[in-house]
Amino acid sequence: QVQLVESGGGLVQAGGSLRLSCATSGIIFSSYTMGWYRQAPGKQRELVAQITSGGSTNYADSVKGRFTISRDNAKNTVYLQMNSLKPEDTAVYYCKADKYLTYWGQGTQVTVSS
């Protein structure tokens, strides 16, 4: 079966850093577009960062210059390095795999205190 498992969330002070990981199984990982999304209470889920099978990246304007998405095809894992965190980054962060079907992870909580 397909599994996406996020880890690395937690509580951090404004200005700090976290690295999220999403470990996958059950898919040919190298062929999938991978993304990180987030959802804050009372808000719509939004795209944070995306990386294609060819390594092309896209970022939400709100995180450009602060967050970096990367992938390790040998480990079937996608990462999100988050620097200079702000309270507005507080949300549940979800991993997504896209090709012919879409798969979602269970989410990991990121809380940034001021």
Side-chain angles (χ1 to χ4, degrees):
Q1 71 274 21
V2 176
Q3 293 187 77
L4 282 68
V5 181
E6 301 98 331
S7 61
L11 175 64
V12 65
Q13 288 187 308
S17 298
L18 286 173
R19 189 179 78 155
L20 306 184
S21 299
C22 174
T24 72
S25 60
I27 61 171
I28 304 174
F29 177 82
S30 61
S31 71
Y32 275 73
T33 293
M34 301 299 301
W36 287 97
Y37 290 71
R38 67 187 181 188
Q39 188 166 24
K43 298 191 69 177
Q44 296 276 289
R45 189 172 296 187
E46 64 174 347
L47 175 69
V48 177
Q50 179 185 74
I51 184 166
T52 69
S53 61
S56 179
T57 58
N58 296 303
Y59 297 92
D61 287 343
S62 60
V63 308
K64 284 180 180 176
R66 299 189 297 122
F67 291 9
T68 303
I69 189 170
S70 62
R71 65 193 297 158
D72 187 338
N73 288 343
K75 296 181 178 179
N76 296 328
T77 300
V78 63
Y79 304 94
L80 185 68
Q81 179 66 47
M82 305 186 294
N83 298 326
S84 302
L85 282 161
K86 305 174 180 180
E88 307 92 85
D89 296 319
T90 295
V92 177
Y93 283 70
Y94 297 91
C95 179
K96 182 185 179 185
D98 279 306
K99 193 174 182 181
Y100 305 113
L101 294 175
T102 299
Y103 303 99
W104 292 90
Q106 81 290 343
T108 185
Q109 177 72 48
V110 171
T111 303
V112 184
S113 63
S114 58

